[in-house]
Amino acid sequence: MFFLVCTVSLLSSLALSSPVPDDPLFKHIDDHKHEYIQRLKEMVAIESDSSDPSKRDQVLQIMQVTKDYILQIGGKVEMAELGEQEFSPGVKLPLPPVILAEFGNDTNKPTVCFYGHMDVQPAKKVDGWKTDPYILTEEDGNLYGRGTSDDKGQVLALLHAVESVKEFGLPVNVKLFIEGMEEVGSNGLEPLVEKKKDTFFSNVDYIVVTDTPWLSTKPGITYGARGNCYFFIEVDGARRDLHSGGFGGTVYEPMSDLIYLLGTLADVEGKILIPGIYDDVLPLTEEEKELYKDLVFDLKDLKRDTGVETFLHSTKEELLMHRWRFPSLSIHGIEGAFSGSGTKTVIPAKVIGKFSIRQVPKMNPSVVEKQVVSDYLENKFAERKSPNKMKVSMVIGAQPWLANMGEPQYLAARKAVKRVFNVDADMIRAGGTIPIAKDFEDILGKSVMLLGVGGPDDAPHGQNEKISMHNYIEGTKLYASFLQELPSF
């Protein structure tokens, strides 16, 4: 999953909320908030770490518990089996089934399908947590625990919203598509979406992804995300590692070749030096520029949170544009190099450099691959005249995604934000990659929107993950309002 980070205070987030006075729907949600917190506590206690084979039974358990709750509040549920996963030769484990649920099937009503996941990232207290990550802990208006923000808390906020709106009459048909393997790549999900295209998804008008945060304390709606082309550069030299005392100064060193190649990819200001890489980037319009002016985002907060004193860009607008709507290149590491403590004097026989390009709408991964590999790096290596062998491969080619903000569900979401928080929503993009959004759009041809209720400082993959009480309860109101507003558009 992706996230944007800045430091915020609970008091400022509480100040944003100004719900409609005497709204019976909101009162119903407030009256049940202790029940909602208890349910989150029960869900957090299930250690549904999808990356750990020893906890696969708990991933299966969380899917069953979620199913039971959906049935309890009146939904119909199908558990779609995905088969097995091979962890290592001869070791296979069952993949957790995907929940396909629905509330209502009225052909006169619009149908919205929500996506979420119930698996979590690994977490241990010894990693630096101040509390047990699997015991929900309330402190200073925050609910700490693994999965509170990513994504159990957001899924539960949605389910509580559905349950609450049903008390007043559900004006839309609701479908749920909930998985248990998102944190490890959503094994088997794309084929299932394709398989269910003409059945479960046949009457779906809109798709909403719940697994997203806001940019700041101000509620945000996400309408775009960058893609990701991830590359390996492999340089081979000698048959084995060599001692620098015996061979230094006598061989062409693979590490030197690799460092040279990596150093030619971008300049000191972050501009990608690969010819043609910017050719397909959409031009910036005046209308788009206006979107960035009113976004709540403080560079001072970002500097304080990251410890970075100087960024590549000095204004809020420039920084966010280069985070969201322009491509970027990052070098991630070198495999095969000596990285331990001490002073090992080795010349590695083979090294693999790893870098990625976050591409933006209209950039095609296959075109980027050609620009990087055959048009650039192979020529650069030839110019170096090294006898070593080089191979470049693109191991990930995830597409970028960009939605039309004028679609009905975006208008309904903006109205819902205004109703609950009495502010206009920030329209934001994600700098990271959200493959499921692009998969839904490409396979199903449906309108996709990211409407999450996570906070900007929730630390969803880190220590002390949390969701604020404010976001959890007011987020429930947001989903409930969205369900009521959608039929009007």
Side-chain angles (χ1 to χ4, degrees):
M1 98 132 274
F2 77 98
F3 50 96
L4 301 171
V5 181
C6 65
T7 303
V8 296
S9 70
L10 179 63
L11 290 177
S12 62
S13 67
L14 289 172
L16 281 176
S17 179
S18 181
V20 178
D22 302 321
D23 188 311
L25 174 62
F26 293 174
K27 183 179 185 304
H28 176 87
I29 291 170
D30 285 332
D31 289 345
H32 289 79
K33 64 182 180 181
H34 296 298
E35 173 189 327
Y36 300 160
I37 294 168
Q38 178 59 31
R39 186 167 291 112
L40 181 58
K41 180 179 182 180
E42 294 167 0
M43 294 288 197
V44 166
I46 301 172
E47 301 182 22
S48 51
D49 174 2
S50 53
S51 70
D52 187 345
S54 71
K55 295 182 178 178
R56 182 52 53 87
D57 61 331
Q58 299 205 48
V59 182
L60 297 172
Q61 181 187 354
I62 196 71
M63 301 308 291
Q64 183 63 45
V65 170
T66 305
K67 170 194 171 182
D68 292 343
Y69 178 53
I70 294 171
L71 291 173
Q72 178 186 324
I73 63 177
K76 296 180 180 178
V77 180
E78 172 193 350
M79 302 294 276
E81 298 294 337
L82 296 178
E84 294 182 320
Q85 175 188 19
E86 186 169 358
F87 265 93
S88 58
V91 179
K92 293 183 178 181
L93 292 174
L95 286 166
V98 174
I99 292 173
L100 306 178
E102 63 177 326
F103 296 83
N105 190 24
D106 187 335
T107 56
N108 295 315
K109 296 178 180 179
T111 300
V112 56
C113 178
F114 292 88
Y115 164 87
H117 67 91
M118 299 303 285
D119 62 317
V120 298
Q121 284 278 317
K124 296 179 181 178
K125 189 173 181 181
V126 295
D127 293 335
W129 284 72
K130 61 183 180 181
T131 62
D132 188 316
Y134 294 107
I135 297 177
L136 189 72
T137 304
E138 184 177 348
E139 182 179 316
D140 297 329
N142 293 315
L143 301 169
Y144 289 91
R146 179 58 91 215
T148 49
S149 182
D150 181 20
D151 183 34
K152 293 176 180 179
Q154 299 197 52
V155 170
L156 282 176
L158 168 65
L159 294 179
H160 296 148
V162 173
E163 181 182 22
S164 298
V165 175
K166 281 178 84 263
E167 294 293 319
F168 299 87
L170 194 59
V172 296
N173 303 313
V174 175
K175 291 194 171 186
L176 306 172
F177 190 84
I178 302 174
E179 65 158 319
M181 294 292 286
E182 191 273 346
E183 298 293 3
V184 289
S186 298
N187 305 53
L189 203 68
E190 187 176 338
L192 179 64
V193 174
E194 186 72 54
K195 179 181 177 181
K196 296 293 182 177
K197 178 179 179 180
D198 298 322
T199 51
F200 179 77
F201 290 105
S202 62
N203 65 336
V204 170
D205 300 297
Y206 311 107
I207 294 176
V208 177
V209 176
T210 65
D211 184 16
T212 55
W214 301 343
L215 176 64
S216 68
T217 57
K218 190 179 179 185
I221 301 169
T222 303
Y223 66 95
R226 295 193 293 187
N228 185 18
C229 290
Y230 200 109
F231 294 89
F232 288 174
I233 308 178
E234 181 178 314
V235 183
D236 277 283
R239 181 172 55 83
R240 57 179 174 80
D241 290 351
L242 302 174
H243 191 295
S244 67
F247 292 92
T250 70
V251 296
Y252 290 83
E253 299 190 11
M255 182 73 83
S256 298
D257 289 342
L258 179 61
I259 296 297
Y260 163 77
L261 292 172
L262 291 175
T264 69
L265 295 172
D267 66 18
V268 69
E269 295 179 340
K271 181 182 177 181
I272 303 173
L273 300 176
I274 299 165
I277 205 75
Y278 293 97
D279 288 354
D280 294 328
V281 177
L282 290 170
L284 183 65
T285 65
E286 291 301 319
E287 181 181 12
E288 187 182 357
K289 284 182 183 178
E290 290 297 316
L291 289 174
Y292 289 84
K293 290 183 178 179
D294 295 327
L295 294 178
V296 177
F297 183 78
D298 193 325
L299 276 173
K300 292 180 181 177
D301 284 341
L302 188 64
K303 289 179 178 180
R304 207 162 30 238
D305 181 75
T306 61
V308 175
E309 290 297 324
T310 305
F311 287 96
L312 292 173
H313 309 282
S314 58
T315 69
K316 171 187 73 175
E317 291 82 2
E318 288 177 324
L319 192 146
L320 290 177
M321 285 182 191
H322 282 85
R323 175 185 276 187
W324 293 347
R325 65 99 57 219
F326 291 119
S328 65
L329 187 147
S330 299
I331 297 172
H332 304 294
I334 298 177
E335 182 180 337
F338 171 61
S339 59
S341 60
T343 57
K344 185 178 181 181
T345 54
V346 67
I347 299 174
K350 180 174 77 172
V351 286
I352 302 173
K354 302 178 182 184
F355 71 94
S356 70
I357 295 176
R358 295 284 181 176
Q359 81 273 18
V360 295
K362 298 303 180 183
M363 292 177 70
N364 187 309
S366 61
V367 174
V368 173
E369 180 179 22
K370 180 178 182 297
Q371 290 170 333
V372 170
V373 181
S374 58
D375 294 351
Y376 188 70
L377 282 175
E378 289 181 356
N379 289 329
K380 279 291 179 184
F381 189 65
E383 290 173 6
R384 188 164 168 81
K385 301 185 184 303
S386 169
N388 292 326
K389 296 177 181 178
M390 184 205 71
K391 181 175 72 173
V392 184
S393 54
M394 187 174 79
V395 295
I396 296 174
Q399 295 268 9
W401 162 74
L402 186 66
N404 176 3
M405 290 184 291
E407 291 170 343
Q409 66 171 345
Y410 281 89
L411 300 178
R414 294 173 85 158
K415 188 173 180 182
V417 168
K418 186 74 171 180
R419 174 181 167 188
V420 177
F421 299 97
N422 199 30
V423 295
D424 293 322
D426 272 347
M427 303 305 296
I428 62 179
R429 294 200 201 184
T433 304
I434 310 171
I436 190 64
K438 188 62 177 175
D439 289 343
F440 280 139
E441 185 179 75
D442 289 346
I443 297 172
L444 304 176
K446 308 292 185 181
S447 169
V448 181
M449 177 178 70
L450 274 58
L451 184 66
V453 297
D457 57 347
D458 282 354
H461 283 200
Q463 296 93 338
N464 304 314
E465 178 184 351
K466 60 87 179 171
I467 192 169
S468 73
M469 187 86 72
H470 170 76
N471 282 45
Y472 187 45
I473 301 304
E474 301 306 306
T476 301
K477 295 175 185 177
L478 174 58
Y479 286 132
S481 297
F482 171 70
L483 293 173
Q484 289 189 333
E485 299 292 349
L486 187 57
S488 302
F489 294 92

Short mmCIF file of all heavy atoms in Angstrom, two decimals, residues 82-107:
data_model
loop_
_atom_site.label_atom_id
_atom_site.label_comp_id
_atom_site.label_asym_id
_atom_site.label_seq_id
_atom_site.Cartn_x
_atom_site.Cartn_y
_atom_site.Cartn_z
N LEU A 82 -9.23 -19.33 -4.08
CA LEU A 82 -8.13 -18.98 -4.98
C LEU A 82 -7.12 -20.11 -5.16
O LEU A 82 -6.16 -19.97 -5.92
CB LEU A 82 -7.41 -17.73 -4.47
CG LEU A 82 -8.23 -16.44 -4.42
CD1 LEU A 82 -7.38 -15.31 -3.83
CD2 LEU A 82 -8.73 -16.05 -5.79
N GLY A 83 -7.28 -21.21 -4.43
CA GLY A 83 -6.34 -22.31 -4.56
C GLY A 83 -5.23 -22.25 -3.54
O GLY A 83 -5.43 -21.81 -2.41
N GLU A 84 -4.03 -22.67 -3.95
CA GLU A 84 -2.90 -22.76 -3.03
C GLU A 84 -1.76 -21.84 -3.44
O GLU A 84 -1.65 -21.42 -4.59
CB GLU A 84 -2.39 -24.20 -2.97
CG GLU A 84 -3.36 -25.19 -2.36
CD GLU A 84 -2.79 -26.60 -2.28
OE1 GLU A 84 -2.12 -27.00 -3.26
OE2 GLU A 84 -3.00 -27.27 -1.26
N GLN A 85 -0.90 -21.58 -2.46
CA GLN A 85 0.31 -20.79 -2.68
C GLN A 85 1.52 -21.64 -2.31
O GLN A 85 1.54 -22.26 -1.25
CB GLN A 85 0.28 -19.53 -1.82
CG GLN A 85 1.55 -18.70 -1.90
CD GLN A 85 1.55 -17.56 -0.89
OE1 GLN A 85 0.80 -17.59 0.09
NE2 GLN A 85 2.39 -16.56 -1.11
N GLU A 86 2.53 -21.67 -3.20
CA GLU A 86 3.74 -22.43 -2.93
C GLU A 86 4.77 -21.50 -2.30
O GLU A 86 5.29 -20.59 -2.95
CB GLU A 86 4.30 -23.05 -4.20
CG GLU A 86 5.48 -23.98 -3.94
CD GLU A 86 5.87 -24.80 -5.15
OE1 GLU A 86 5.21 -24.69 -6.20
OE2 GLU A 86 6.84 -25.57 -5.04
N PHE A 87 5.07 -21.71 -1.02
CA PHE A 87 6.04 -20.88 -0.31
C PHE A 87 7.47 -21.31 -0.64
O PHE A 87 8.35 -20.49 -0.78
CB PHE A 87 5.81 -20.96 1.20
CG PHE A 87 4.95 -19.85 1.73
CD1 PHE A 87 3.58 -20.02 1.85
CD2 PHE A 87 5.50 -18.63 2.09
CE1 PHE A 87 2.78 -18.99 2.33
CE2 PHE A 87 4.72 -17.61 2.57
CZ PHE A 87 3.35 -17.78 2.69
N SER A 88 7.66 -22.61 -0.72
CA SER A 88 8.97 -23.17 -1.06
C SER A 88 8.70 -24.54 -1.68
O SER A 88 7.58 -25.05 -1.59
CB SER A 88 9.84 -23.29 0.20
OG SER A 88 9.20 -24.09 1.17
N PRO A 89 9.70 -25.12 -2.35
CA PRO A 89 9.48 -26.42 -2.99
C PRO A 89 8.86 -27.44 -2.03
O PRO A 89 9.42 -27.73 -0.97
CB PRO A 89 10.88 -26.84 -3.43
CG PRO A 89 11.60 -25.54 -3.65
CD PRO A 89 11.07 -24.62 -2.60
N GLY A 90 7.69 -27.92 -2.38
CA GLY A 90 7.02 -28.93 -1.57
C GLY A 90 6.18 -28.38 -0.44
O GLY A 90 5.50 -29.14 0.25
N VAL A 91 6.24 -27.06 -0.22
CA VAL A 91 5.46 -26.45 0.87
C VAL A 91 4.36 -25.57 0.26
O VAL A 91 4.65 -24.52 -0.32
CB VAL A 91 6.35 -25.60 1.80
CG1 VAL A 91 5.51 -24.95 2.89
CG2 VAL A 91 7.45 -26.45 2.41
N LYS A 92 3.13 -26.03 0.39
CA LYS A 92 1.99 -25.29 -0.15
C LYS A 92 1.00 -24.97 0.96
O LYS A 92 0.78 -25.78 1.85
CB LYS A 92 1.29 -26.10 -1.25
CG LYS A 92 2.11 -26.30 -2.51
CD LYS A 92 1.33 -27.06 -3.57
CE LYS A 92 2.15 -27.22 -4.84
NZ LYS A 92 1.38 -27.94 -5.90
N LEU A 93 0.43 -23.78 0.88
CA LEU A 93 -0.57 -23.35 1.85
C LEU A 93 -1.79 -22.83 1.12
O LEU A 93 -1.68 -22.28 0.01
CB LEU A 93 -0.01 -22.24 2.76
CG LEU A 93 1.09 -22.63 3.74
CD1 LEU A 93 1.61 -21.39 4.43
CD2 LEU A 93 0.58 -23.63 4.76
N PRO A 94 -2.97 -22.98 1.71
CA PRO A 94 -4.17 -22.47 1.05
C PRO A 94 -4.17 -20.94 1.02
O PRO A 94 -3.80 -20.29 2.01
CB PRO A 94 -5.30 -22.99 1.94
CG PRO A 94 -4.68 -23.20 3.28
CD PRO A 94 -3.28 -23.63 3.00
N LEU A 95 -4.54 -20.37 -0.12
CA LEU A 95 -4.74 -18.94 -0.19
C LEU A 95 -6.06 -18.59 0.49
O LEU A 95 -7.03 -19.34 0.37
CB LEU A 95 -4.78 -18.46 -1.64
CG LEU A 95 -3.44 -18.42 -2.38
CD1 LEU A 95 -3.65 -18.28 -3.88
CD2 LEU A 95 -2.58 -17.28 -1.86
N PRO A 96 -6.11 -17.48 1.22
CA PRO A 96 -7.38 -17.11 1.85
C PRO A 96 -8.42 -16.77 0.78
O PRO A 96 -8.09 -16.12 -0.22
CB PRO A 96 -7.02 -15.87 2.68
CG PRO A 96 -5.78 -15.33 2.07
CD PRO A 96 -5.05 -16.51 1.52
N PRO A 97 -9.66 -17.20 0.96
CA PRO A 97 -10.70 -16.88 -0.02
C PRO A 97 -11.00 -15.39 -0.03
O PRO A 97 -10.76 -14.69 0.97
CB PRO A 97 -11.90 -17.68 0.46
CG PRO A 97 -11.69 -17.84 1.93
CD PRO A 97 -10.20 -17.96 2.10
N VAL A 98 -11.51 -14.91 -1.14
CA VAL A 98 -11.92 -13.51 -1.27
C VAL A 98 -13.41 -13.42 -0.97
O VAL A 98 -14.21 -14.23 -1.43
CB VAL A 98 -11.63 -12.98 -2.69
CG1 VAL A 98 -12.19 -11.58 -2.88
CG2 VAL A 98 -10.14 -13.00 -2.97
N ILE A 99 -13.77 -12.42 -0.17
CA ILE A 99 -15.17 -12.21 0.18
C ILE A 99 -15.85 -11.42 -0.93
O ILE A 99 -15.43 -10.32 -1.29
CB ILE A 99 -15.29 -11.43 1.51
CG1 ILE A 99 -14.80 -12.30 2.67
CG2 ILE A 99 -16.73 -10.98 1.74
CD1 ILE A 99 -14.72 -11.56 3.99
N LEU A 100 -16.89 -12.00 -1.49
CA LEU A 100 -17.76 -11.32 -2.46
C LEU A 100 -19.12 -11.19 -1.79
O LEU A 100 -19.83 -12.18 -1.61
CB LEU A 100 -17.88 -12.12 -3.75
CG LEU A 100 -16.57 -12.52 -4.46
CD1 LEU A 100 -16.87 -13.35 -5.70
CD2 LEU A 100 -15.76 -11.29 -4.83
N ALA A 101 -19.47 -9.99 -1.40
CA ALA A 101 -20.70 -9.78 -0.63
C ALA A 101 -21.58 -8.75 -1.31
O ALA A 101 -21.10 -7.92 -2.11
CB ALA A 101 -20.37 -9.33 0.80
N GLU A 102 -22.86 -8.79 -0.98
CA GLU A 102 -23.77 -7.78 -1.54
C GLU A 102 -24.91 -7.48 -0.58
O GLU A 102 -25.36 -8.34 0.18
CB GLU A 102 -24.33 -8.23 -2.90
CG GLU A 102 -25.17 -9.48 -2.89
CD GLU A 102 -25.72 -9.79 -4.28
OE1 GLU A 102 -26.03 -8.84 -5.03
OE2 GLU A 102 -25.84 -10.98 -4.60
N PHE A 103 -25.35 -6.24 -0.64
CA PHE A 103 -26.51 -5.76 0.09
C PHE A 103 -27.46 -5.14 -0.94
O PHE A 103 -27.18 -4.07 -1.48
CB PHE A 103 -26.13 -4.70 1.12
CG PHE A 103 -25.23 -5.18 2.21
CD1 PHE A 103 -23.86 -5.25 2.02
CD2 PHE A 103 -25.75 -5.57 3.45
CE1 PHE A 103 -23.02 -5.69 3.04
CE2 PHE A 103 -24.91 -6.01 4.46
CZ PHE A 103 -23.55 -6.07 4.26
N GLY A 104 -28.54 -5.81 -1.23
CA GLY A 104 -29.52 -5.30 -2.17
C GLY A 104 -29.21 -5.65 -3.61
O GLY A 104 -28.05 -5.80 -4.00
N ASN A 105 -30.27 -5.77 -4.40
CA ASN A 105 -30.13 -6.08 -5.83
C ASN A 105 -31.27 -5.45 -6.60
O ASN A 105 -31.95 -6.09 -7.40
CB ASN A 105 -30.10 -7.60 -6.03
CG ASN A 105 -29.72 -7.99 -7.44
OD1 ASN A 105 -29.05 -7.22 -8.14
ND2 ASN A 105 -30.14 -9.16 -7.87
N ASP A 106 -31.48 -4.16 -6.35
CA ASP A 106 -32.57 -3.42 -6.98
C ASP A 106 -32.06 -2.79 -8.27
O ASP A 106 -31.17 -1.93 -8.24
CB ASP A 106 -33.07 -2.33 -6.02
CG ASP A 106 -34.31 -1.62 -6.52
OD1 ASP A 106 -34.54 -1.60 -7.74
OD2 ASP A 106 -35.05 -1.06 -5.67
N THR A 107 -32.62 -3.19 -9.40
CA THR A 107 -32.14 -2.70 -10.70
C THR A 107 -32.41 -1.21 -10.90
O THR A 107 -31.86 -0.60 -11.82
CB THR A 107 -32.78 -3.50 -11.84
OG1 THR A 107 -34.22 -3.42 -11.73
CG2 THR A 107 -32.35 -4.96 -11.80
#
